[in-house]
Each structure stands twice: as C-alpha cells, then as structure tokens.
Amino acid sequence: MLKSKTFVKKTRSGGVMKIVREHYLRDDIWCGSEACTECKQESTELLKDACIESNLCSFPHYLVPDTNVVLHQIDVLEDPVIRNVIILQTVLQEVRHRSAPVYKRLKDIIHEKEKHFYTFTNEHHRDTFIEREPGETANDRNDRAIRVAAKWYSQHLKKFEADTDGLCVVLLTNDQGNKQKAEESGLLVYRFEEYIKSLIANPELVDRLALSNNDKNEITSSKVLFPEHLPLSRIQSGIKSGSFLQGTFRASRDNYLEATVFVQGEGEDSTEVLIQGLQNLNRAVHQDVVAVQLLPRNQWVAPSSVVLQDEGAAKDDAVEEGEEEKALKISAAEAARKPTGKVVGVIKRNWRPFCGMLNISQIKESTRHLFTPADRRIPRIRIETRQASTLAGQRIMVAIDGWPKSSRYPNGHFVRSLGGAGEKDTEQEVLLLEHDVPHQAFSQAVLSFLPKMPWAITPEDMAKREDLRHLTVCSVDPPGCTDIDDALHCRELENGNLEVGVHIADVTHFIRPGNALDKEAANRGTTVYLCGKRIDMVPELLSSNLCSLRSNVERLAFSCIWEMNQKAEILKTRFTKSVINSKASLTYAEAQMRIDDVTKNDETTKSLRGLNKLAKILKRGRIEKGALTLSSLEVRFHIDSETHDPIDLQTKELMETNSMVEEFMLLANISVAQKIYDEFPECAMLRKHPAPPPSNYDILLKAAKSKDVEIHTDSAKALADSLDVAKVDGFPYFNTLLRILATRCMMQAVYFCSGMDSDFHHYGLASPIYTHFTSPIRRSADIIVHRLLAVAIGADSTYPDLMDKHKQSALSNNLNYRHKMSQYGQTQAVGSQQQPQLQT
Amino acid sequence: MAGLELLSDQGYRLDGRKATELRKVQARMGVFAQADGSAYLEQGNTKALAVVYGPHEMRGSRSRTLHDRAVINCQYSMATFSTAERKRRPHGDRKSTEMSLHLKQTFEAAVMTQLYPRSQIDIYVKILQSDGGNYSVCVNAATLAVIDAGIPMRDYVCACTVGFVDETPLADLCYAEESGGVSSLALALLPRGGQIALLQMDARLHQDHLETLIEAAMTACKGVSKVLDQVVRQHLEEVSMLTGE
C-alpha cells in the first residue's frame, strides 16, 4: 500500500518548500513474539513466558516504553532484569533525534540477545501507521502512534490468549495526558516509576530511576540559590551580537569556586575567561558548553592561589559560603587580573556517569545522600537511595539528572556499584572508567576472528614471505614482557658493510581490515598498562602468543632491513614480509651483560655488539641535529609473584641497551614514514610533534632563573644544549628536575593523516617526518601503518577506508584521544600505587 | 542528530522499502496520437513522458546522415514544476545536454539502427516530476515509447540506479537517498543477454564494492524489465481488442 507524505519545509534562504515523499506501508512486518503463530517470521525476539514479577501485573507481559521513558530511564532499561521490551520505530527515531548517546545505548541493548528487545517498525506497518491530523502537533501524533501500535499489539496477542496465559502489552509513559487517553482506549498503562516500584524481586532498581520533573519538588527547598539560565534563543542572539561568549567550561582542580571557560576563537586566537564564585559558576559542570558574559573591568579578579575543597556534608546548603568567597577575593592580587565573567546559560551539558564515593548523610533514616566524584572538578551530587549502608565504602557510579536553581548540588541517581573502595580491582575499574578506557572482555564476535589453534605457518604463507629464519635475531625488552613486538639482528656483509634488521610482529596478517577484531582494536587504540595489569588492545592469543616474537619459535614478521657502512650511514633500505625465528628473548640487563662480558663471543652477542656500536653513532647524530633528551621520572614496581601486590618500587634506570633498541625503533619508524609518505602522500598516517609556543617555557625559565641558570628556547637544539650545561654545584638532581619541567612544556605529539595537514615536523626527535611502526601489538596506529606499507611494497591488497583521508583522520583523532587518556590513566595508576608505598 | 538514517537496523529504508525493492512502477503506452510512439511512466514519484518520432528522413543538417544506419536524436528536458523549488530550465544547459547524450548512447546500443540507413529517429523525454533516478526513468519510458512506435530493438533497455550504504546496495534510489551522500551508480541493461548499454557513476567507490553493486543493479534492471514486459503485453491486448483481431 502506498501513502505519500507531504510536508512543507523552510529552506535556508528563507523560502518555503513543499516536500513530497513516498511512504510505503507493508504487510510483512512481524510482531516478533514467540507466542504468535500468525506472523511468518524467521526468528523471534520476544519470549512467550515474559515474566517479570510485579505487583501490578501478575501475568506475562511485554513492555512498550514511550520516548520520554527511554530518554530518561535508559539506566533502568539497561538492567538485565528488564527484558521483553518492544521498542517502536517512532520511539527509536525520536530518541535518535533527541539524544545521540542514549540512542547509542538503546541500540546496544537491542543488539544484546539476552535482553529480548524487539524493534517494531510501526511507521511502515499497514495497521499501525497513522497520519497527522490537522491541528495536531508532531509530539501528539507520535504519542498517538505509540498508543495505536500498543493497541495493535494487545489485539494481536489476544488471538493467542489460550496458550499464553494472558500475555499482553503494558504501555509505560510518564505523560499524564497520554496515560489518560491510553486508559480510555482500554490499554494497560502505568507510569514508569509505578511499574518499577512494583517489581517484587528487584527493589534496588528503584534507586536507578532518574528523577522526573514531578519528583523534583520534594527534594529541594524553595530557596533560590542560582540565577536562572537564559533560554537558548537569547543565548544565541547574545552570542551573535558579541555580548556573550561561548566556550567549554573547565572547573579548577584545586578550587571548587573557580573555573575557566575556554573560548575558541578564529584560528589561534582563543581566550580564557575566569569565573569565580558559586553564583557566577551558575550550575555549570566540568566540560559543559556554556555561554558567559564578561563582567565590567573593575570587577575582574586574578586566579586565586588558595586551595579550596568543597567540604559539603557539614553545611548542606550554602550558608557559610560567603566567608570562603571573601577569602578568595582578598587573595586576588591587583596586577594579575584576568578577564572575568559569569555563566548565563548552558548550551550543551556534557554529563556522563561519574565514579566516586557516597558520603552517608548524618541523619540515619535519610534516603538522600551526597556523592563525591573521584574527579575533583565535578561537584558533589545528591542522590536518593535506600541502600546507603551497603553502598558506603564502595566505589559507585552516579549519573546527574538535573540541577534545579534552588539546589546547592545537582540531583542524580545511582547507576551501579563497582566494588569495595581500596581494593585493587575496584580502583583500577575506576581509573579505567574515568579515563574512558574500553576494558570489557573481548566479545564473541571479536574472538571469532582469531586463528584456530594449533596454528602453524602454512606453505602458502611461506611462499609469499622471505625466509629469514637463518638469521640470528634476538629481542630485547623489559623484564616480564610477554607482548614482544620487535626483534633485531645485525651481521657483517662480505663487502665490509653491516646489515641491520628490525623485525616487527606481523599483526596485520591476523587482523584483517573491517572485521570485528579490527574495529575493536581501532576503537581501543592502545594497550593500557596499569600496575600489574595490562588492558590488551588485541586478544591475548595474539598479543602474547601468535604475534609475540618469542624465542625459538617461528613467527611472521614485517622486516625493515638496512645496509649500513661502519659509520652508520644508510646505504640501502628494504622492507619485506618475512618469517623469523628469534634466537633469544633478552631483558635489557641480560643484553647489557652479554655486551660487557668479553669472554662471550657467540653469534647473538656479536650481533648485539654491532647494534650497540651503531646505535651510539646514530644517537650522537640525532642529538647533534637537536633531538631532545628529556626526563620523566618513571618508576617500576616489584610485584610479589604470589599475591600480585607491589612490594617495592624503584626509579627506572636506563641502560645502554635501552637506548640501543630505541635508536633502531626510531630509525625504522622514520624509514617507514618516508616510504609510506612517498607512496601515499594523501593518506599516510604520520605522527608529528609541534614546536611549543614560547609562552609554554615560562615555568622552565622561571625555575632556571631561581638558580641563575640560563636556558635558551629558540630552537630544539638550543634548548638541548642549554639543558646539558645547566648544572648547579651541590645539587646533582637539578638537571633532572629541569628536564622533567621541560617535558611539561612540550606539546602533545599527535597522529594525523598526511593529506589533512602540512606540518610534519617532529620537534622532540628533530626529524622531518615520523610515524609509529614498531609496536602493532599495542598501538593501533601501527596496524594502519603496516597496512599502508604492505600495500606500498605490494605484499597486501588495499581496502577503501585505508585510502580515505577523512576516515583516516577520524581514526587518528580517536587514537590521539585514547592515547592521551591511557597516559593519564597510567600516570594515575602509578600514583595511586605509590601512595601506599610511600606511606609505609 | 545530523543526517537521515538511510537503512535501519531492521533493514528498512526511509520510505519503508527493503534494500532490494523497487519503487512502484506504473506505465501507459500510446498516450499521444500525433507522435509515432509515446509512453508515460511513473516510478514512485518520478514521472516522465517520452515521445518518439521516426524513423523519418534526415532533417536539419543533412551532413550528419549515416549511410549504414539511422541517427538517433535525443532530447531531455525537465519541467519547471518538476522539483520542489520552481526553476526555469532553459534548453541546452549542461546537465540536460549530458543526459541527452547518455540517452542517445543507450538507445544506439539497443535500437537496431542498421535497418534504417540514412534516416533519423527522434526521442524526446520530459521529466514531469523528479524524485530521484531521472536517468533510469527516462530510459524506461523511452523504451516503451520506442516499442510503441514499432521500431525494432534488440531487447528492452531497462535502467536502474543503485546506491551503496553500510555495505549494502540499495536499489532504485529516491531523491532523499540520492542527496543523502550515497555513492550511486546508474546502469542500463539489455536484460535477456545481460549486456550493459550504459554504466555511469561519478561518485567515489572502492573497487572491491563495484562488482556487488553492478550485480545488484542488474537484478534491479531485470525486475524493471518484468514490469515493462507486462505493460507492453497488456497494451497489446487492449489494442487488439479494440481493433477486433
């Protein structure tokens, strides 16, 4: 059956356009229920005995939530208890339109088999499609469409009543009008809260209910604390006229009454607006996009140097706030005033579920408690729960529902518990969640793309690859490393030159483009190392076995082989897919011992000595060119082998062999970068490190000046040289400190797609071009680079996304994000482990 | 959220079709008496009128005369009211010239021109309402008109556009889909022999996907040919009934 949809649309230029679209109605859309014998469906999602024990409905039933229920109560819908739900197409489309994150979560639920969620395409079903009536708003029409579809279901299911003991559908809506109309048409309808509270077996679900508007009155006093947010229309006109500025709200870590709003200007021209005081902050939460109004110049203040933490629990609602704010004002020095403003409205909230701890209310029977997030930039959140006593001492997740102007704190609801505070697993989970590190176990779909064990190199693989098994290859890694992705060799050629090879695990042989395994790896972006735990980017079978270049087994590799003369000048470079058989997996210390031990003269040792010699020359050359050697304090833990608790920590010491391996990895990366850029100037994935703007060096210069040391920052070379001579007598650690500071001055190195950028320079390494090639097991950028290189040498076929610079660029943005987050996470993990160590 | 969801998870498109389903095709032959052949064809909301004159003696520049076969002259135009925004469309703009040329190439491959040396066949097509797939609708309408004119062809020429979304080929795109950033491909096929009369694609598509896309286009064209065949047969029945044979 054919219907045409006609509607008018306003064009950008202001004209009115009539748009006619076809709308086909079908009779082959099935109900998806197991109980149905009429529909000719191949598979069913909805179970016949759909039982959730409830006081309200004692019979099996399917749930039909309306749009607002889905939008606000997605946390509850995600619970495994809620099953057999019909999601109407109308609802799905409205959700898609209104909130992208909720839409994504809803789709994830629908895809989960055990949840038995079924999408009913009601808009194209001949019996459930309705047209908008004259005078009816789009919302009313959608509500009616939902009711019609629910009605259709209840009539449809009635036909099979005999063998399903009264299976029916329950419409869930929070809209009073909608509910009434549904009741009039004879539907079974409940408010969502009503229904969830009636569930017998699962009282804890009630805590997860988001507070809807009706409930808010109860929780807040009538006193107005904050100025009203302006409506969006006024904000927009204000931004247009320049009286407001739009920017990202960044709360201060150290002072809860202070924040900056980062206003992105044209090009480099961006400013920061300082915001001070609860009233001016006006309920903005870290990372929200807000509109700010600048205060008159005479009210401008300087950022305070006071550390202020919200001690919430004592003074539940703002009473003594005034004094703290006064303290803040006094500290403001006249000279250092900055543009100051106040938040007038929130353009986009960027709330996510936050991890943290519950502060139990002092009143014993109270069900309202404050929640302190782990991230200090997030304000405390007030939640309502009846299981406070069990949640005390646990790390929990809480989502914000809203922040009324009469409430000191935002209102939220409990999402889930992560486990006992202080336990290693829980703390790690918190770290991972707070840094948005995907850390779930790999799904079956992903695992299905793994090679079948036992795995061996097939003759076909052998035929396509160069056989390098006869070479004396060895790997040098930190102790305890199981994901070995690089190995080296060096031998003397007959003409007196040296042949040096870097062999990298051939991960792309196992991870084929576009499959679930590849997508998962690209999403995870990097392996994250926490103390004693590794969050793998690829499943363990690959990372620690098939791709790991362990000794005395045959492994597939991607080799980069140079011919060098004794002065370490490259004469020839060659890339090839190969098969290698590593002769030894050494640790840095073992390798160092072999080099130093004059009595040893076996093949491996000779090879190591050759490598070491070349590496020294290479390093010298690099430093002459102006590469920086910066220092960051890295610590290592000694982990008790049985309890897996850290028992000791020490700063990482660097040996010659560390820099030997590093030197060749750099060389391989640079060679590969050049090769793929020559071959694919538009879509090579490269890594750059921009030179920092001069203002970044301020802290370094200030620190150096305090000891009367001069630091030049005009170029990388000048910086490196002046760092080398910066020494203070009787303060041996000063130089290291300066180097640590210098690291802080640097910009972040980032991945990018060569077609989208023109500046390729890597400042820190003083190399005109650079990429990551040498760790495909733990970095996803390397996988892309491997593929590009494989195509460049004709060893593999290409695929569409590889050559698409926009997709490539989107991917590198994700990698940069993951990389940054994982680094923050790793630093914090080290920090949180250090703490107990330092205490003892 | 930006953009339209062209293919839902349940496999339905914007207008409720499945990926391989065509729009509803309706057609009539012999709509004008003066012309030698004419046809009107609707494919969903795209509507086209095709008129054929000839074969007749060369008109205009006689220098274009071919000694071994007929010349095919095509003219494509769009009505001012054919799109959502009313727009005057002068003759001979770039787009319609290109389209005319494509039609000409298509029909040169299908019409048995060697039967009419030194003569000319005129095909005029007008889009009355446009909702995507203009080229294919024109070809389908013109085929019926040529058949109506009684000019022998090797086979029906059937055309169809296909697009590529989420690794799935979508048959017979409507305007909303065409403008939604889908790489689309137009194919004109002589279905019985499976010969391709014209293949046109000016979007980017990876080589690996090309084969599946052509495959899908061919299936769609065969679907169109079934419908056209029915129309022709029904038309013949009606005519023969009227003439009392």
Side-chain angles (χ1 to χ4, degrees):
Chain A
M1 204 157 78
L2 183 68
K3 277 268 178 201
S4 95
K5 263 205 304 206
T6 313
F7 53 96
V8 281
K9 198 172 101 176
K10 212 169 147 194
T11 60
R12 221 172 284 162
S13 56
V16 170
M17 241 177 13
K18 185 174 169 197
I19 291 183
V20 183
R21 277 209 201 127
E22 281 180 294
H23 193 89
Y24 288 89
L25 301 183
R26 319 181 60 106
D27 52 8
D28 62 347
I29 296 173
W30 315 127
C31 68
S33 164
E34 210 176 47
C36 176
T37 48
E38 201 174 63
C39 292
K40 295 186 241 356
Q41 49 213 348
E42 277 160 16
S43 62
T44 53
E45 282 293 337
L46 302 165
L47 296 177
K48 196 167 169 181
D49 50 340
C51 257
I52 309 178
E53 270 184 63
S54 157
N55 284 332
L56 288 170
C57 347
S58 50
F59 37 82
H61 54 278
Y62 299 145
L63 300 174
V64 183
D66 80 349
T67 314
N68 279 317
V69 167
V70 174
L71 278 175
H72 299 306
Q73 311 290 2
I74 187 82
D75 283 336
V76 183
L77 291 177
E78 270 175 350
D79 193 275
V81 173
I82 307 289
R83 298 193 303 166
N84 297 302
V85 176
I86 299 164
I87 301 292
L88 300 175
Q89 188 196 8
T90 319
V91 173
L92 198 62
Q93 277 172 350
E94 271 193 297
V95 168
R96 179 170 189 267
H97 205 71
R98 300 257 295 270
S99 164
V102 175
Y103 179 67
K104 164 109 210 327
R105 286 167 74 183
L106 183 60
K107 274 182 85 158
D108 286 347
I109 305 178
I110 292 171
H111 284 302
E112 212 169 296
K113 276 269 169 310
E114 291 82 52
K115 291 283 285 169
H116 299 286
F117 271 50
Y118 176 72
T119 319
F120 181 62
T121 315
N122 65 320
E123 296 284 355
H124 291 292
H125 192 284
R126 64 188 300 168
D127 297 327
T128 56
F129 173 74
I130 54 161
E131 265 176 294
R132 191 164 150 191
E133 277 160 10
E136 195 174 32
T137 66
N139 271 335
D140 287 343
R141 189 217 86 102
N142 286 341
D143 282 345
R144 190 157 61 90
I146 293 169
R147 290 198 300 272
V148 168
K151 187 87 196 158
W152 179 83
Y153 255 104
S154 62
Q155 276 161 3
H156 182 74
L157 292 176
K158 207 164 244 158
K159 296 178 203 160
F160 320 105
E161 212 166 16
D163 41 290
T164 58
D165 23 286
L167 182 69
C168 67
V169 290
V170 173
L171 180 65
L172 296 176
T173 176
N174 284 340
D175 181 334
Q176 209 55 49
N178 193 11
K179 189 180 170 200
Q180 203 174 348
K181 279 186 196 150
E183 272 165 354
E184 277 164 21
S185 65
L187 276 169
L188 201 55
V189 50
Y190 295 115
R191 284 184 50 217
F192 193 72
E193 285 80 7
E194 205 175 11
Y195 177 79
I196 292 299
K197 282 178 187 156
S198 78
L199 296 183
I200 298 161
N202 304 82
E204 77 278 2
L205 271 183
V206 176
D207 288 347
R208 299 207 197 170
L209 284 173
L211 301 170
S212 61
N213 285 327
N214 313 356
D215 300 350
K216 268 183 198 154
N217 316 342
E218 305 165 18
I219 204 163
T220 54
S221 60
S222 56
K223 209 170 107 195
V224 176
L225 285 170
F226 294 101
E228 186 93 60
H229 283 159
L230 295 179
L232 204 58
S233 55
R234 280 199 45 206
I235 293 177
Q236 271 161 350
S237 61
I239 288 171
K240 227 176 217 171
S241 68
S243 53
F244 299 154
L245 295 169
Q246 175 179 348
T248 320
F249 184 88
R250 291 180 186 165
S252 157
R253 257 177 214 281
D254 306 318
N255 186 336
Y256 77 101
L257 290 174
E258 199 172 276
T260 52
V261 170
F262 183 79
V263 181
Q264 184 84 48
E266 307 273 312
E268 296 294 294
D269 169 41
S270 42
T271 49
E272 276 191 344
V273 179
L274 186 71
I275 299 185
Q276 244 180 24
L278 220 46
Q279 294 280 319
N280 292 343
L281 295 173
N282 199 0
R283 293 171 280 159
V285 177
H286 185 63
Q287 288 293 336
D288 286 348
V289 180
V290 297
V292 288
Q293 185 178 26
L294 285 180
L295 295 173
R297 204 168 261 271
N298 58 6
Q299 288 179 32
W300 285 12
V301 290
S304 68
S305 43
V306 194
V307 175
L308 267 188
Q309 273 194 52
D310 190 358
E311 301 296 350
K315 39 179 172 58
D316 207 23
D317 273 316
V319 194
E320 296 141 54
E321 223 78 58
E323 276 165 39
E324 278 183 6
E325 284 190 31
K326 240 180 254 161
L328 215 118
K329 294 237 166 71
I330 295 162
S331 68
E334 293 290 316
R337 292 191 168 183
K338 282 201 166 168
T340 310
K342 63 174 182 191
V343 175
V344 291
V346 175
I347 296 163
K348 190 169 168 278
R349 289 289 194 189
N350 239 335
W351 291 341
R352 60 184 170 92
F354 302 103
C355 300
M357 297 276 286
L358 196 67
N359 300 33
I360 298 212
S361 165
Q362 280 147 345
I363 307 155
K364 208 176 147 219
E365 284 79 30
S366 172
T367 55
R368 284 171 212 155
H369 306 273
L370 275 180
F371 161 85
T372 312
D375 189 342
R376 275 222 298 267
R377 290 168 298 190
I378 308 295
R380 296 168 168 223
I381 302 165
R382 188 188 287 115
I383 65 168
E384 200 174 337
T385 175
R386 267 168 252 176
Q387 21 173 1
S389 49
T390 43
L391 292 182
Q394 286 191 0
R395 294 275 182 189
I396 59 172
M397 272 178 107
V398 161
I400 306 186
D401 297 327
W403 197 339
K405 61 178 184 248
S406 51
S407 159
R408 168 71 176 77
Y409 297 107
N411 293 329
H413 66 271
F414 166 72
V415 177
R416 70 189 173 101
S417 164
L418 302 171
E423 279 166 33
K424 216 176 76 193
D425 292 343
T426 316
E427 297 302 329
Q428 266 170 3
E429 175 100 8
V430 170
L431 265 178
L432 296 172
L433 282 168
E434 281 292 298
H435 293 96
D436 195 14
V437 176
H439 60 280
Q440 305 81 359
F442 288 95
S443 71
Q444 277 308 316
V446 170
L447 294 177
S448 70
F449 286 99
L450 290 179
K452 299 277 166 296
M453 292 301 281
W455 174 87
I457 297 172
T458 61
E460 296 97 76
D461 289 335
M462 215 56 186
K464 277 190 248 157
R465 290 165 180 271
E466 200 168 331
D467 189 355
L468 300 178
R469 284 176 292 181
H470 58 278
L471 293 175
T472 320
V473 175
C474 66
S475 62
V476 184
D477 285 284
C481 176
T482 58
D483 48 351
I484 304 170
D485 39 22
D486 48 72
L488 300 154
H489 88 270
C490 171
R491 64 170 177 174
E492 199 148 335
L493 295 176
E494 281 155 13
N495 59 11
N497 288 336
L498 291 167
E499 184 194 76
V500 179
V502 168
H503 310 276
I504 307 297
D506 192 9
V507 176
T508 53
H509 178 83
F510 300 101
I511 303 183
R512 302 311 299 167
N515 66 25
L517 181 56
D518 179 45
K519 282 185 185 143
E520 182 71 23
N523 179 38
R524 294 193 175 210
T526 168
T527 294
V528 181
Y529 297 86
L530 300 178
C531 169
K533 189 174 176 185
R534 191 176 75 198
I535 315 295
D536 277 322
M537 181 183 83
V538 295
E540 199 179 355
L541 176 66
L542 290 182
S543 68
S544 313
N545 187 356
L546 296 185
C547 288
S548 179
L549 303 176
R550 297 191 293 190
S551 55
N552 300 321
V553 281
E554 287 174 7
R555 287 285 176 256
L556 302 178
F558 207 149
S559 303
C560 174
I561 299 170
W562 299 280
E563 189 179 329
M564 291 183 178
N565 60 19
Q566 298 287 350
K567 283 182 268 170
E569 285 159 354
I570 298 172
L571 305 172
K572 236 195 278 173
T573 311
R574 178 162 84 82
F575 305 100
T576 178
K577 293 237 174 179
S578 61
V579 181
I580 61 160
N581 189 344
S582 170
K583 300 291 179 286
S585 322
L586 306 172
T587 64
Y588 290 123
E590 280 169 2
Q592 190 67 47
M593 264 162 15
R594 281 198 184 215
I595 292 173
D596 296 341
D597 187 353
V598 278
T599 57
K600 275 216 163 159
N601 261 319
D602 55 291
E603 281 286 316
T604 315
T605 313
K606 270 198 248 164
S607 163
L608 282 171
R609 284 195 190 121
L611 288 166
N612 199 24
K613 200 181 103 206
L614 289 173
K616 281 182 186 163
I617 307 175
L618 285 171
K619 184 164 186 185
R620 212 179 308 131
R622 216 160 49 80
I623 288 176
E624 268 166 30
K625 270 198 247 156
L628 296 170
T629 34
L630 299 175
S631 178
S632 63
L633 188 65
E634 282 193 63
V635 285
R636 270 199 62 80
F637 290 99
H638 285 264
I639 309 246
D640 191 295
S641 55
E642 274 159 24
T643 60
H644 295 289
D645 288 330
I647 46 177
D648 189 16
L649 89 165
Q650 62 176 175
T651 52
K652 217 179 204 169
E653 51 182 315
L654 287 176
M655 275 175 279
E656 252 180 20
T657 42
N658 284 58
S659 81
M660 171 185 96
V661 173
E662 190 189 330
E663 226 36 70
F664 284 103
M665 294 306 131
L666 292 177
L667 194 63
N669 286 337
I670 293 170
S671 299
V672 171
Q674 194 57 51
K675 174 81 181 172
I676 57 172
Y677 179 62
D678 288 346
E679 206 76 23
F680 306 105
E682 276 295 290
C683 56
M685 181 172 276
L686 301 176
R687 189 168 171 83
K688 68 170 175 183
H689 184 203
S695 62
N696 275 23
Y697 287 118
D698 288 351
I699 47 163
L700 178 66
L701 295 177
K702 209 171 150 189
K705 220 169 164 193
S706 69
K707 291 279 172 208
D708 286 325
V709 174
E710 209 157 314
I711 298 284
H712 302 279
T713 56
D714 339 332
S715 69
K717 172 98 179 106
L719 178 64
D721 289 347
S722 55
L723 276 177
D724 284 340
V725 296
K727 288 198 175 75
V728 173
D729 290 330
F731 190 1
Y733 204 55
F734 181 70
N735 190 272
T736 320
L737 278 181
L738 275 190
R739 284 180 197 273
I740 293 174
L741 262 184
T743 323
R744 295 244 177 115
C745 304
M746 293 298 142
M747 305 283 282
Q748 276 275 343
V750 288
Y751 297 108
F752 68 104
C753 171
S754 59
M756 308 290 277
D757 208 326
S758 54
D759 173 31
F760 296 176
H761 194 75
H762 197 292
Y763 181 80
L765 297 173
S767 165
I769 191 164
Y770 191 66
T771 190
H772 270 163
F773 167 74
T774 51
S775 301
I777 303 181
R778 55 193 178 83
R779 286 189 308 232
S780 151
D782 303 50
I783 294 183
I784 300 293
V785 171
H786 270 234
R787 288 186 184 143
L788 285 166
L789 186 64
V791 175
I793 62 166
D796 207 340
S797 59
T798 170
Y799 61 101
D801 290 358
L802 191 64
M803 297 298 147
D804 186 329
K805 63 176 177 182
H806 297 284
K807 289 212 172 123
Q808 197 79 277
S809 171
L811 181 66
S812 39
N813 285 341
N814 178 40
L815 295 182
N816 288 331
Y817 171 71
R818 294 285 187 218
H819 195 79
K820 194 172 80 190
M821 284 328 232
S822 77
Q823 278 197 327
Y824 287 162
Q826 283 166 26
T827 338
Q828 232 181 64
V830 171
S832 68
Q833 288 292 348
Q834 264 165 354
Q835 235 165 3
Q837 289 292 324
L838 297 176
Q839 276 166 2
T840 51
Chain B
M1 218 173 122
L4 293 162
E5 191 181 37
L6 295 176
L7 189 68
S8 74
D9 286 345
Q10 291 73 46
Y12 295 109
R13 290 154 67 174
L14 286 175
D15 50 10
R17 284 183 289 157
K18 293 213 164 137
T20 54
E21 287 174 342
L22 302 173
R23 289 178 286 180
K24 190 175 169 75
V25 181
Q26 281 175 306
R28 264 169 58 205
M29 292 168 72
V31 285
F32 297 126
Q34 282 99 332
D36 292 314
S38 60
Y40 169 74
L41 187 127
E42 285 182 7
Q43 203 161 330
N45 278 334
T46 306
K47 301 172 184 176
L49 200 55
V51 177
V52 172
Y53 292 94
H56 54 70
E57 223 173 280
M58 287 299 292
R59 279 178 207 150
S61 60
R62 290 189 169 263
S63 57
R64 286 192 297 133
T65 314
L66 296 175
H67 294 277
D68 55 343
R69 56 197 165 92
V71 170
I72 290 186
N73 174 33
C74 283
Q75 220 167 68
Y76 164 90
S77 60
M78 277 173 94
T80 44
F81 49 81
S82 62
T83 50
E85 252 176 311
R86 193 180 158 83
K87 198 165 146 195
R88 266 195 62 72
R89 291 163 206 281
H91 266 293
D93 64 334
R94 251 177 56 104
K95 230 171 85 188
S96 62
T97 319
E98 189 192 350
M99 193 70 100
S100 305
L101 209 69
H102 285 153
L103 288 174
K104 183 179 149 108
Q105 283 169 353
T106 315
F107 280 93
E108 267 169 0
V111 175
M112 301 180 85
T113 45
Q114 72 279 9
L115 297 178
Y116 307 104
R118 295 165 207 276
S119 46
Q120 176 182 353
I121 298 168
D122 295 321
I123 302 175
Y124 299 105
V125 202
K126 190 155 190 115
I127 292 283
L128 299 178
Q129 188 176 329
S130 158
D131 187 29
N134 290 353
Y135 166 77
S136 8
V137 177
C138 285
V139 170
N140 298 336
T143 306
L144 291 182
V146 171
I147 293 171
D148 187 40
I151 300 171
M153 289 207 288
R154 294 192 173 80
D155 193 358
Y156 294 92
V157 222
C158 304
C160 198
T161 47
V162 278
F164 197 71
V165 169
D166 298 341
E167 314 284 304
T168 326
L170 304 184
D172 197 10
L173 302 180
C174 69
Y175 178 74
E177 288 167 333
E178 264 185 355
S179 55
V182 181
S183 29
S184 71
L185 169 147
L187 178 109
L189 186 77
L190 305 177
R192 254 184 304 170
Q195 291 141 315
I196 294 175
L198 187 113
L199 178 78
Q200 186 207 1
M201 184 174 74
D202 32 35
R204 277 170 73 104
L205 182 82
H206 194 267
Q207 197 184 345
D208 295 357
H209 300 319
L210 188 63
E211 206 158 324
T212 44
L213 203 54
I214 292 183
E215 203 67 47
M218 284 178 140
T219 336
C221 287
K222 283 177 188 152
V224 173
S225 96
K226 260 187 217 149
V227 181
L228 296 189
D229 195 53
Q230 260 173 14
V231 172
V232 172
R233 279 173 204 284
Q234 202 189 346
H235 179 69
L236 276 179
E237 260 172 42
E238 280 166 18
V239 171
S240 56
M241 230 146 57
L242 286 176
T243 51
E245 281 168 28

